[in-house]
């Protein structure tokens, strides 16, 4: 297809080109480069800060998991003792019969 036809009297007026001072141009590029450098260092600071936070949260989660495991084992011990009392089985015999000797090992 051909380009749309233009009227023969159509005149395109463009604004005159403006020359920008070299000092202003240098200032713009200097500000841009300083902003990039600042952003690089600031991003590095933020990454280090958040890495510390993630490490602290991980340590907290590990401690909570260990505490939950201890509580679970403690509750299992209590449940086994209760079951042995309900069934009237002596403790040592109940441990062997139920196969829960690993619960009563010392940590």
């Amino acid at each position: 297809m051909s380009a749309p036809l233009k009227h023969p009297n159509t005149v395109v007026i463009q604004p005159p080109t403006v020359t920008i001072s070299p000092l202003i141009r240098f200032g713009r590029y200097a500000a841009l480069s300083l902003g990039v450098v600042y952003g690089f260092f600031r991003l590095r600071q933020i990454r280090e800060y958040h890495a510390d936070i993630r490490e602290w949260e991980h340590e907290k989660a590990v401690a909570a998991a260990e505490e939950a495991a201890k509580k679970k084992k403690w509750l299992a011990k209590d449940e086994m003792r209760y079951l042995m009392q309900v069934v009237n089985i002596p403790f040592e015999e109940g441990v062997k019969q139920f196969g829960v000797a690993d619960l009563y090992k010392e940590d």
Side-chain angles (χ1 to χ4, degrees):
M1 296 192 111
S2 63
L5 297 175
K6 295 184 179 181
H7 193 273
N9 293 337
T10 303
V11 177
V12 177
I13 300 176
Q14 294 180 342
T17 58
V18 178
T19 56
I20 298 174
S21 165
L23 183 62
I24 293 174
R25 196 176 313 152
F26 171 76
R28 286 179 180 174
Y29 283 108
L32 175 66
S33 61
L34 285 175
V36 169
V37 170
Y38 171 76
F40 172 74
F41 285 112
R42 181 68 178 139
L43 180 63
R44 201 167 76 184
Q45 286 178 339
I46 291 172
R47 282 182 181 168
E48 290 173 1
Y49 175 73
H50 284 281
D52 291 341
I53 290 175
R54 282 191 305 273
E55 182 180 346
W56 177 75
E57 288 176 348
H58 175 69
E59 290 172 359
K60 198 166 102 174
V62 167
E66 288 175 356
E67 187 66 32
K70 285 181 183 179
K71 187 174 182 178
K72 182 179 177 182
K73 186 174 181 179
W74 180 73
L75 289 173
K77 281 182 180 182
D78 282 352
E79 184 180 8
M80 281 294 124
R81 285 184 194 258
Y82 176 74
L83 286 174
M84 288 179 221
Q85 286 177 354
V86 168
V87 183
N88 288 328
I89 298 176
F91 179 73
E92 291 80 16
E93 186 180 326
V95 168
K96 291 177 187 174
Q97 190 173 8
F98 288 124
V100 289
D102 59 326
L103 278 179
Y104 295 100
K105 288 182 185 174
E106 294 298 321
D107 291 331

